[in-house]
Amino acid sequence: MGNLKSVALPLLLAVSIMHLPFSESLWFFNYHIHVTNDLPLLNSPPGKPNLFLRCKSKNKDIGERAMVKGQDYTWDTKINLSQTTLFFCNARWEGRKRRSFDAFVANRDDRRCSVYHMSCMWSVREDGIYFSRNNATWFNEYPW
């Protein structure tokens, strides 16, 4: 009887996973979130940070980064079983503007971020925070 359990249980689990809808099986994948500082230098000298970015989820604070022009802030995440994974960021453009934005929302980004190497691409620019699903076409999702 013990031998039957050791074979049947893994087989039953494997068959169950294969029958899950695509979106429910995405918690196996690792998503890469990228936020790039594409702000103009204006009065900031080259090499001096002009963007301060703090990103976190309910359970994980990734910390604040002082970013110079062109610098990329990246981290990875997986979608939890309840599909409620959320990472948000607070962006502060030195001496100018502040904005919060959702950098990763499981039920919004599971499909759109799978297009380009499982990556969510963000670009902080003079007129807002842009998203791209393919690193070629950008949309201003969070205007300042």
PDB file of all heavy atoms in Angstrom, residues 55-91:
ATOM      1  N   CYS A  55      11.228  50.674  -3.725  1.00  0.00           N
ATOM      2  CA  CYS A  55      10.251  49.688  -4.174  1.00  0.00           C
ATOM      3  C   CYS A  55      10.083  48.616  -3.115  1.00  0.00           C
ATOM      4  O   CYS A  55      11.049  48.216  -2.460  1.00  0.00           O
ATOM      5  CB  CYS A  55      10.698  49.061  -5.491  1.00  0.00           C
ATOM      6  SG  CYS A  55      10.845  50.250  -6.838  1.00  0.00           S
ATOM      7  N   LYS A  56       8.834  48.138  -2.977  1.00  0.00           N
ATOM      8  CA  LYS A  56       8.568  47.093  -1.993  1.00  0.00           C
ATOM      9  C   LYS A  56       7.238  46.414  -2.267  1.00  0.00           C
ATOM     10  O   LYS A  56       6.427  46.897  -3.046  1.00  0.00           O
ATOM     11  CB  LYS A  56       8.608  47.652  -0.585  1.00  0.00           C
ATOM     12  CG  LYS A  56       7.624  48.751  -0.280  1.00  0.00           C
ATOM     13  CD  LYS A  56       7.890  49.260   1.139  1.00  0.00           C
ATOM     14  CE  LYS A  56       6.923  50.306   1.594  1.00  0.00           C
ATOM     15  NZ  LYS A  56       7.109  50.642   2.995  1.00  0.00           N
ATOM     16  N   SER A  57       7.062  45.292  -1.594  1.00  0.00           N
ATOM     17  CA  SER A  57       5.793  44.581  -1.600  1.00  0.00           C
ATOM     18  C   SER A  57       5.304  44.537  -0.156  1.00  0.00           C
ATOM     19  O   SER A  57       5.925  45.131   0.737  1.00  0.00           O
ATOM     20  CB  SER A  57       5.972  43.155  -2.137  1.00  0.00           C
ATOM     21  OG  SER A  57       6.691  42.366  -1.210  1.00  0.00           O
ATOM     22  N   LYS A  58       4.248  43.820   0.063  1.00  0.00           N
ATOM     23  CA  LYS A  58       3.718  43.678   1.425  1.00  0.00           C
ATOM     24  C   LYS A  58       4.746  43.013   2.339  1.00  0.00           C
ATOM     25  O   LYS A  58       4.868  43.368   3.504  1.00  0.00           O
ATOM     26  CB  LYS A  58       2.437  42.841   1.380  1.00  0.00           C
ATOM     27  CG  LYS A  58       1.813  42.569   2.720  1.00  0.00           C
ATOM     28  CD  LYS A  58       0.566  41.717   2.558  1.00  0.00           C
ATOM     29  CE  LYS A  58       0.017  41.305   3.909  1.00  0.00           C
ATOM     30  NZ  LYS A  58      -1.136  40.416   3.766  1.00  0.00           N
ATOM     31  N   ASN A  59       5.508  42.074   1.788  1.00  0.00           N
ATOM     32  CA  ASN A  59       6.435  41.274   2.593  1.00  0.00           C
ATOM     33  C   ASN A  59       7.913  41.565   2.369  1.00  0.00           C
ATOM     34  O   ASN A  59       8.751  41.055   3.102  1.00  0.00           O
ATOM     35  CB  ASN A  59       6.201  39.784   2.320  1.00  0.00           C
ATOM     36  CG  ASN A  59       4.782  39.371   2.598  1.00  0.00           C
ATOM     37  OD1 ASN A  59       4.198  39.768   3.600  1.00  0.00           O
ATOM     38  ND2 ASN A  59       4.207  38.596   1.701  1.00  0.00           N
ATOM     39  N   LYS A  60       8.243  42.326   1.341  1.00  0.00           N
ATOM     40  CA  LYS A  60       9.654  42.498   0.991  1.00  0.00           C
ATOM     41  C   LYS A  60       9.944  43.945   0.609  1.00  0.00           C
ATOM     42  O   LYS A  60       9.384  44.454  -0.356  1.00  0.00           O
ATOM     43  CB  LYS A  60      10.011  41.571  -0.174  1.00  0.00           C
ATOM     44  CG  LYS A  60      11.464  41.575  -0.558  1.00  0.00           C
ATOM     45  CD  LYS A  60      11.734  40.572  -1.655  1.00  0.00           C
ATOM     46  CE  LYS A  60      13.188  40.516  -2.004  1.00  0.00           C
ATOM     47  NZ  LYS A  60      13.458  39.545  -3.062  1.00  0.00           N
ATOM     48  N   ASP A  61      10.811  44.589   1.381  1.00  0.00           N
ATOM     49  CA  ASP A  61      11.255  45.951   1.068  1.00  0.00           C
ATOM     50  C   ASP A  61      12.598  45.832   0.357  1.00  0.00           C
ATOM     51  O   ASP A  61      13.577  45.383   0.945  1.00  0.00           O
ATOM     52  CB  ASP A  61      11.377  46.770   2.350  1.00  0.00           C
ATOM     53  CG  ASP A  61      11.671  48.234   2.095  1.00  0.00           C
ATOM     54  OD1 ASP A  61      12.094  48.578   0.974  1.00  0.00           O
ATOM     55  OD2 ASP A  61      11.481  49.030   3.022  1.00  0.00           O
ATOM     56  N   ILE A  62      12.632  46.215  -0.890  1.00  0.00           N
ATOM     57  CA  ILE A  62      13.866  46.092  -1.677  1.00  0.00           C
ATOM     58  C   ILE A  62      14.831  47.229  -1.349  1.00  0.00           C
ATOM     59  O   ILE A  62      16.014  47.115  -1.583  1.00  0.00           O
ATOM     60  CB  ILE A  62      13.535  46.046  -3.182  1.00  0.00           C
ATOM     61  CG1 ILE A  62      12.621  44.855  -3.453  1.00  0.00           C
ATOM     62  CG2 ILE A  62      14.785  45.916  -4.024  1.00  0.00           C
ATOM     63  CD1 ILE A  62      12.075  44.828  -4.824  1.00  0.00           C
ATOM     64  N   GLY A  63      14.306  48.306  -0.805  1.00  0.00           N
ATOM     65  CA  GLY A  63      15.156  49.413  -0.386  1.00  0.00           C
ATOM     66  C   GLY A  63      15.119  50.580  -1.345  1.00  0.00           C
ATOM     67  O   GLY A  63      14.581  50.504  -2.440  1.00  0.00           O
ATOM     68  N   GLU A  64      15.703  51.682  -0.876  1.00  0.00           N
ATOM     69  CA  GLU A  64      15.768  52.890  -1.705  1.00  0.00           C
ATOM     70  C   GLU A  64      17.076  52.905  -2.476  1.00  0.00           C
ATOM     71  O   GLU A  64      18.123  52.499  -1.966  1.00  0.00           O
ATOM     72  CB  GLU A  64      15.669  54.155  -0.853  1.00  0.00           C
ATOM     73  CG  GLU A  64      15.639  55.410  -1.712  1.00  0.00           C
ATOM     74  CD  GLU A  64      15.426  56.676  -0.911  1.00  0.00           C
ATOM     75  OE1 GLU A  64      16.226  56.944  -0.006  1.00  0.00           O
ATOM     76  OE2 GLU A  64      14.460  57.385  -1.214  1.00  0.00           O
ATOM     77  N   ARG A  65      16.981  53.384  -3.710  1.00  0.00           N
ATOM     78  CA  ARG A  65      18.164  53.527  -4.558  1.00  0.00           C
ATOM     79  C   ARG A  65      18.264  54.966  -5.023  1.00  0.00           C
ATOM     80  O   ARG A  65      17.280  55.550  -5.465  1.00  0.00           O
ATOM     81  CB  ARG A  65      18.083  52.635  -5.791  1.00  0.00           C
ATOM     82  CG  ARG A  65      17.936  51.176  -5.515  1.00  0.00           C
ATOM     83  CD  ARG A  65      19.271  50.503  -5.288  1.00  0.00           C
ATOM     84  NE  ARG A  65      19.126  49.189  -4.731  1.00  0.00           N
ATOM     85  CZ  ARG A  65      18.976  48.065  -5.413  1.00  0.00           C
ATOM     86  NH1 ARG A  65      18.932  48.108  -6.716  1.00  0.00           N
ATOM     87  NH2 ARG A  65      18.875  46.916  -4.796  1.00  0.00           N
ATOM     88  N   ALA A  66      19.457  55.523  -4.938  1.00  0.00           N
ATOM     89  CA  ALA A  66      19.760  56.818  -5.533  1.00  0.00           C
ATOM     90  C   ALA A  66      20.334  56.505  -6.913  1.00  0.00           C
ATOM     91  O   ALA A  66      21.369  55.853  -7.029  1.00  0.00           O
ATOM     92  CB  ALA A  66      20.770  57.572  -4.676  1.00  0.00           C
ATOM     93  N   MET A  67      19.643  56.960  -7.963  1.00  0.00           N
ATOM     94  CA  MET A  67      19.984  56.547  -9.321  1.00  0.00           C
ATOM     95  C   MET A  67      20.471  57.704 -10.180  1.00  0.00           C
ATOM     96  O   MET A  67      19.859  58.770 -10.197  1.00  0.00           O
ATOM     97  CB  MET A  67      18.760  55.906  -9.988  1.00  0.00           C
ATOM     98  CG  MET A  67      18.254  54.681  -9.250  1.00  0.00           C
ATOM     99  SD  MET A  67      16.693  54.041  -9.925  1.00  0.00           S
ATOM    100  CE  MET A  67      17.202  53.584 -11.583  1.00  0.00           C
ATOM    101  N   VAL A  68      21.551  57.471 -10.898  1.00  0.00           N
ATOM    102  CA  VAL A  68      22.043  58.440 -11.871  1.00  0.00           C
ATOM    103  C   VAL A  68      21.367  58.152 -13.216  1.00  0.00           C
ATOM    104  O   VAL A  68      20.784  57.081 -13.414  1.00  0.00           O
ATOM    105  CB  VAL A  68      23.590  58.380 -12.009  1.00  0.00           C
ATOM    106  CG1 VAL A  68      24.265  58.740 -10.699  1.00  0.00           C
ATOM    107  CG2 VAL A  68      24.042  57.032 -12.510  1.00  0.00           C
ATOM    108  N   LYS A  69      21.462  59.107 -14.121  1.00  0.00           N
ATOM    109  CA  LYS A  69      20.849  58.948 -15.449  1.00  0.00           C
ATOM    110  C   LYS A  69      21.354  57.665 -16.111  1.00  0.00           C
ATOM    111  O   LYS A  69      22.539  57.372 -16.117  1.00  0.00           O
ATOM    112  CB  LYS A  69      21.175  60.151 -16.333  1.00  0.00           C
ATOM    113  CG  LYS A  69      20.526  60.068 -17.710  1.00  0.00           C
ATOM    114  CD  LYS A  69      20.701  61.347 -18.484  1.00  0.00           C
ATOM    115  CE  LYS A  69      20.130  61.264 -19.871  1.00  0.00           C
ATOM    116  NZ  LYS A  69      18.729  60.898 -19.935  1.00  0.00           N
ATOM    117  N   GLY A  70      20.413  56.878 -16.633  1.00  0.00           N
ATOM    118  CA  GLY A  70      20.744  55.643 -17.338  1.00  0.00           C
ATOM    119  C   GLY A  70      20.841  54.418 -16.449  1.00  0.00           C
ATOM    120  O   GLY A  70      20.922  53.302 -16.958  1.00  0.00           O
ATOM    121  N   GLN A  71      20.820  54.605 -15.141  1.00  0.00           N
ATOM    122  CA  GLN A  71      20.948  53.473 -14.220  1.00  0.00           C
ATOM    123  C   GLN A  71      19.650  52.668 -14.171  1.00  0.00           C
ATOM    124  O   GLN A  71      18.557  53.210 -14.270  1.00  0.00           O
ATOM    125  CB  GLN A  71      21.311  53.959 -12.818  1.00  0.00           C
ATOM    126  CG  GLN A  71      21.712  52.854 -11.882  1.00  0.00           C
ATOM    127  CD  GLN A  71      22.242  53.406 -10.551  1.00  0.00           C
ATOM    128  OE1 GLN A  71      22.249  54.601 -10.301  1.00  0.00           O
ATOM    129  NE2 GLN A  71      22.696  52.503  -9.709  1.00  0.00           N
ATOM    130  N   ASP A  72      19.798  51.345 -14.001  1.00  0.00           N
ATOM    131  CA  ASP A  72      18.684  50.409 -13.993  1.00  0.00           C
ATOM    132  C   ASP A  72      18.549  49.792 -12.609  1.00  0.00           C
ATOM    133  O   ASP A  72      19.537  49.342 -12.032  1.00  0.00           O
ATOM    134  CB  ASP A  72      18.950  49.322 -15.043  1.00  0.00           C
ATOM    135  CG  ASP A  72      17.771  48.420 -15.297  1.00  0.00           C
ATOM    136  OD1 ASP A  72      16.629  48.900 -15.322  1.00  0.00           O
ATOM    137  OD2 ASP A  72      17.998  47.209 -15.482  1.00  0.00           O
ATOM    138  N   TYR A  73      17.344  49.785 -12.073  1.00  0.00           N
ATOM    139  CA  TYR A  73      17.033  49.171 -10.783  1.00  0.00           C
ATOM    140  C   TYR A  73      16.239  47.914 -11.106  1.00  0.00           C
ATOM    141  O   TYR A  73      15.173  47.985 -11.710  1.00  0.00           O
ATOM    142  CB  TYR A  73      16.214  50.167  -9.982  1.00  0.00           C
ATOM    143  CG  TYR A  73      15.788  49.814  -8.577  1.00  0.00           C
ATOM    144  CD1 TYR A  73      16.252  48.700  -7.900  1.00  0.00           C
ATOM    145  CD2 TYR A  73      14.908  50.644  -7.903  1.00  0.00           C
ATOM    146  CE1 TYR A  73      15.856  48.421  -6.607  1.00  0.00           C
ATOM    147  CE2 TYR A  73      14.493  50.380  -6.608  1.00  0.00           C
ATOM    148  CZ  TYR A  73      14.971  49.265  -5.970  1.00  0.00           C
ATOM    149  OH  TYR A  73      14.577  48.989  -4.689  1.00  0.00           O
ATOM    150  N   THR A  74      16.748  46.738 -10.744  1.00  0.00           N
ATOM    151  CA  THR A  74      16.094  45.490 -11.130  1.00  0.00           C
ATOM    152  C   THR A  74      15.911  44.569  -9.933  1.00  0.00           C
ATOM    153  O   THR A  74      16.695  44.595  -8.987  1.00  0.00           O
ATOM    154  CB  THR A  74      16.898  44.732 -12.197  1.00  0.00           C
ATOM    155  OG1 THR A  74      18.160  44.358 -11.660  1.00  0.00           O
ATOM    156  CG2 THR A  74      17.107  45.568 -13.427  1.00  0.00           C
ATOM    157  N   TRP A  75      14.866  43.760 -10.017  1.00  0.00           N
ATOM    158  CA  TRP A  75      14.650  42.686  -9.048  1.00  0.00           C
ATOM    159  C   TRP A  75      13.753  41.650  -9.713  1.00  0.00           C
ATOM    160  O   TRP A  75      13.156  41.894 -10.751  1.00  0.00           O
ATOM    161  CB  TRP A  75      14.046  43.196  -7.746  1.00  0.00           C
ATOM    162  CG  TRP A  75      12.640  43.679  -7.816  1.00  0.00           C
ATOM    163  CD1 TRP A  75      11.504  42.955  -7.555  1.00  0.00           C
ATOM    164  CD2 TRP A  75      12.189  44.984  -8.194  1.00  0.00           C
ATOM    165  NE1 TRP A  75      10.389  43.740  -7.741  1.00  0.00           N
ATOM    166  CE2 TRP A  75      10.786  44.990  -8.122  1.00  0.00           C
ATOM    167  CE3 TRP A  75      12.837  46.165  -8.575  1.00  0.00           C
ATOM    168  CZ2 TRP A  75      10.020  46.111  -8.419  1.00  0.00           C
ATOM    169  CZ3 TRP A  75      12.074  47.274  -8.869  1.00  0.00           C
ATOM    170  CH2 TRP A  75      10.695  47.246  -8.787  1.00  0.00           C
ATOM    171  N   ASP A  76      13.695  40.481  -9.100  1.00  0.00           N
ATOM    172  CA  ASP A  76      12.890  39.376  -9.614  1.00  0.00           C
ATOM    173  C   ASP A  76      11.802  39.017  -8.615  1.00  0.00           C
ATOM    174  O   ASP A  76      11.968  39.203  -7.401  1.00  0.00           O
ATOM    175  CB  ASP A  76      13.759  38.132  -9.846  1.00  0.00           C
ATOM    176  CG  ASP A  76      14.747  38.297 -10.984  1.00  0.00           C
ATOM    177  OD1 ASP A  76      14.594  39.240 -11.775  1.00  0.00           O
ATOM    178  OD2 ASP A  76      15.669  37.474 -11.071  1.00  0.00           O
ATOM    179  N   THR A  77      10.706  38.468  -9.137  1.00  0.00           N
ATOM    180  CA  THR A  77       9.628  37.985  -8.280  1.00  0.00           C
ATOM    181  C   THR A  77       8.897  36.855  -8.983  1.00  0.00           C
ATOM    182  O   THR A  77       9.024  36.681 -10.188  1.00  0.00           O
ATOM    183  CB  THR A  77       8.638  39.114  -7.912  1.00  0.00           C
ATOM    184  OG1 THR A  77       7.756  38.651  -6.890  1.00  0.00           O
ATOM    185  CG2 THR A  77       7.839  39.578  -9.111  1.00  0.00           C
ATOM    186  N   LYS A  78       8.153  36.112  -8.209  1.00  0.00           N
ATOM    187  CA  LYS A  78       7.243  35.095  -8.732  1.00  0.00           C
ATOM    188  C   LYS A  78       5.841  35.455  -8.268  1.00  0.00           C
ATOM    189  O   LYS A  78       5.677  36.160  -7.278  1.00  0.00           O
ATOM    190  CB  LYS A  78       7.615  33.710  -8.203  1.00  0.00           C
ATOM    191  CG  LYS A  78       8.931  33.213  -8.736  1.00  0.00           C
ATOM    192  CD  LYS A  78       9.228  31.813  -8.232  1.00  0.00           C
ATOM    193  CE  LYS A  78      10.621  31.465  -8.554  1.00  0.00           C
ATOM    194  NZ  LYS A  78      11.035  30.521  -9.333  1.00  0.00           N
ATOM    195  N   ILE A  79       4.853  34.949  -8.961  1.00  0.00           N
ATOM    196  CA  ILE A  79       3.469  35.171  -8.558  1.00  0.00           C
ATOM    197  C   ILE A  79       3.122  34.157  -7.481  1.00  0.00           C
ATOM    198  O   ILE A  79       3.377  32.962  -7.638  1.00  0.00           O
ATOM    199  CB  ILE A  79       2.527  35.047  -9.776  1.00  0.00           C
ATOM    200  CG1 ILE A  79       2.829  36.171 -10.767  1.00  0.00           C
ATOM    201  CG2 ILE A  79       1.075  35.064  -9.343  1.00  0.00           C
ATOM    202  CD1 ILE A  79       2.020  36.109 -12.046  1.00  0.00           C
ATOM    203  N   ASN A  80       2.546  34.644  -6.377  1.00  0.00           N
ATOM    204  CA  ASN A  80       2.178  33.737  -5.297  1.00  0.00           C
ATOM    205  C   ASN A  80       0.952  32.904  -5.687  1.00  0.00           C
ATOM    206  O   ASN A  80       0.288  33.170  -6.692  1.00  0.00           O
ATOM    207  CB  ASN A  80       1.956  34.505  -3.990  1.00  0.00           C
ATOM    208  CG  ASN A  80       0.840  35.521  -4.077  1.00  0.00           C
ATOM    209  OD1 ASN A  80      -0.027  35.459  -4.932  1.00  0.00           O
ATOM    210  ND2 ASN A  80       0.865  36.488  -3.175  1.00  0.00           N
ATOM    211  N   LEU A  81       0.651  31.887  -4.890  1.00  0.00           N
ATOM    212  CA  LEU A  81      -0.443  30.972  -5.214  1.00  0.00           C
ATOM    213  C   LEU A  81      -1.801  31.664  -5.295  1.00  0.00           C
ATOM    214  O   LEU A  81      -2.644  31.281  -6.095  1.00  0.00           O
ATOM    215  CB  LEU A  81      -0.506  29.845  -4.184  1.00  0.00           C
ATOM    216  CG  LEU A  81       0.626  28.826  -4.267  1.00  0.00           C
ATOM    217  CD1 LEU A  81       0.563  27.855  -3.115  1.00  0.00           C
ATOM    218  CD2 LEU A  81       0.586  28.086  -5.590  1.00  0.00           C
ATOM    219  N   SER A  82      -2.006  32.695  -4.496  1.00  0.00           N
ATOM    220  CA  SER A  82      -3.287  33.399  -4.524  1.00  0.00           C
ATOM    221  C   SER A  82      -3.318  34.493  -5.599  1.00  0.00           C
ATOM    222  O   SER A  82      -4.307  35.203  -5.732  1.00  0.00           O
ATOM    223  CB  SER A  82      -3.601  33.996  -3.152  1.00  0.00           C
ATOM    224  OG  SER A  82      -2.571  34.874  -2.756  1.00  0.00           O
ATOM    225  N   GLN A  83      -2.253  34.630  -6.354  1.00  0.00           N
ATOM    226  CA  GLN A  83      -2.118  35.591  -7.456  1.00  0.00           C
ATOM    227  C   GLN A  83      -2.377  37.025  -7.010  1.00  0.00           C
ATOM    228  O   GLN A  83      -3.029  37.806  -7.692  1.00  0.00           O
ATOM    229  CB  GLN A  83      -3.028  35.207  -8.622  1.00  0.00           C
ATOM    230  CG  GLN A  83      -2.647  33.894  -9.247  1.00  0.00           C
ATOM    231  CD  GLN A  83      -3.474  33.576 -10.464  1.00  0.00           C
ATOM    232  OE1 GLN A  83      -4.576  34.068 -10.652  1.00  0.00           O
ATOM    233  NE2 GLN A  83      -2.929  32.725 -11.314  1.00  0.00           N
ATOM    234  N   THR A  84      -1.813  37.381  -5.861  1.00  0.00           N
ATOM    235  CA  THR A  84      -1.964  38.737  -5.326  1.00  0.00           C
ATOM    236  C   THR A  84      -0.626  39.463  -5.223  1.00  0.00           C
ATOM    237  O   THR A  84      -0.545  40.498  -4.565  1.00  0.00           O
ATOM    238  CB  THR A  84      -2.624  38.697  -3.937  1.00  0.00           C
ATOM    239  OG1 THR A  84      -1.823  37.886  -3.068  1.00  0.00           O
ATOM    240  CG2 THR A  84      -4.041  38.143  -4.015  1.00  0.00           C
ATOM    241  N   THR A  85       0.401  38.947  -5.862  1.00  0.00           N
ATOM    242  CA  THR A  85       1.723  39.575  -5.798  1.00  0.00           C
ATOM    243  C   THR A  85       1.635  41.012  -6.313  1.00  0.00           C
ATOM    244  O   THR A  85       1.104  41.262  -7.387  1.00  0.00           O
ATOM    245  CB  THR A  85       2.747  38.775  -6.623  1.00  0.00           C
ATOM    246  OG1 THR A  85       2.763  37.436  -6.155  1.00  0.00           O
ATOM    247  CG2 THR A  85       4.131  39.385  -6.523  1.00  0.00           C
ATOM    248  N   LEU A  86       2.182  41.946  -5.522  1.00  0.00           N
ATOM    249  CA  LEU A  86       2.161  43.359  -5.866  1.00  0.00           C
ATOM    250  C   LEU A  86       3.458  44.001  -5.384  1.00  0.00           C
ATOM    251  O   LEU A  86       3.827  43.854  -4.219  1.00  0.00           O
ATOM    252  CB  LEU A  86       0.967  44.061  -5.202  1.00  0.00           C
ATOM    253  CG  LEU A  86       0.992  45.591  -5.191  1.00  0.00           C
ATOM    254  CD1 LEU A  86       0.836  46.152  -6.590  1.00  0.00           C
ATOM    255  CD2 LEU A  86      -0.113  46.125  -4.277  1.00  0.00           C
ATOM    256  N   PHE A  87       4.152  44.677  -6.278  1.00  0.00           N
ATOM    257  CA  PHE A  87       5.294  45.522  -5.926  1.00  0.00           C
ATOM    258  C   PHE A  87       4.969  46.936  -6.366  1.00  0.00           C
ATOM    259  O   PHE A  87       4.513  47.149  -7.488  1.00  0.00           O
ATOM    260  CB  PHE A  87       6.578  45.064  -6.637  1.00  0.00           C
ATOM    261  CG  PHE A  87       7.282  43.954  -5.931  1.00  0.00           C
ATOM    262  CD1 PHE A  87       6.990  42.640  -6.226  1.00  0.00           C
ATOM    263  CD2 PHE A  87       8.240  44.227  -4.964  1.00  0.00           C
ATOM    264  CE1 PHE A  87       7.634  41.601  -5.570  1.00  0.00           C
ATOM    265  CE2 PHE A  87       8.890  43.204  -4.306  1.00  0.00           C
ATOM    266  CZ  PHE A  87       8.586  41.883  -4.609  1.00  0.00           C
ATOM    267  N   PHE A  88       5.168  47.884  -5.479  1.00  0.00           N
ATOM    268  CA  PHE A  88       4.934  49.283  -5.812  1.00  0.00           C
ATOM    269  C   PHE A  88       6.190  50.076  -5.506  1.00  0.00           C
ATOM    270  O   PHE A  88       7.040  49.656  -4.716  1.00  0.00           O
ATOM    271  CB  PHE A  88       3.718  49.848  -5.065  1.00  0.00           C
ATOM    272  CG  PHE A  88       3.846  49.819  -3.581  1.00  0.00           C
ATOM    273  CD1 PHE A  88       4.330  50.918  -2.891  1.00  0.00           C
ATOM    274  CD2 PHE A  88       3.485  48.689  -2.866  1.00  0.00           C
ATOM    275  CE1 PHE A  88       4.458  50.888  -1.510  1.00  0.00           C
ATOM    276  CE2 PHE A  88       3.606  48.657  -1.484  1.00  0.00           C
ATOM    277  CZ  PHE A  88       4.091  49.757  -0.804  1.00  0.00           C
ATOM    278  N   CYS A  89       6.317  51.214  -6.168  1.00  0.00           N
ATOM    279  CA  CYS A  89       7.501  52.053  -6.012  1.00  0.00           C
ATOM    280  C   CYS A  89       7.091  53.495  -5.755  1.00  0.00           C
ATOM    281  O   CYS A  89       6.063  53.958  -6.261  1.00  0.00           O
ATOM    282  CB  CYS A  89       8.367  52.016  -7.273  1.00  0.00           C
ATOM    283  SG  CYS A  89       8.995  50.398  -7.713  1.00  0.00           S
ATOM    284  N   ASN A  90       7.916  54.190  -5.015  1.00  0.00           N
ATOM    285  CA  ASN A  90       7.805  55.627  -4.825  1.00  0.00           C
ATOM    286  C   ASN A  90       9.012  56.252  -5.517  1.00  0.00           C
ATOM    287  O   ASN A  90      10.152  55.946  -5.162  1.00  0.00           O
ATOM    288  CB  ASN A  90       7.793  55.995  -3.342  1.00  0.00           C
ATOM    289  CG  ASN A  90       6.559  55.468  -2.655  1.00  0.00           C
ATOM    290  OD1 ASN A  90       5.450  55.705  -3.100  1.00  0.00           O
ATOM    291  ND2 ASN A  90       6.752  54.735  -1.576  1.00  0.00           N
ATOM    292  N   ALA A  91       8.734  57.102  -6.506  1.00  0.00           N
ATOM    293  CA  ALA A  91       9.792  57.768  -7.271  1.00  0.00           C
ATOM    294  C   ALA A  91       9.846  59.234  -6.867  1.00  0.00           C
ATOM    295  O   ALA A  91       8.812  59.894  -6.761  1.00  0.00           O
ATOM    296  CB  ALA A  91       9.519  57.640  -8.770  1.00  0.00           C
TER     297      ALA A  91
END
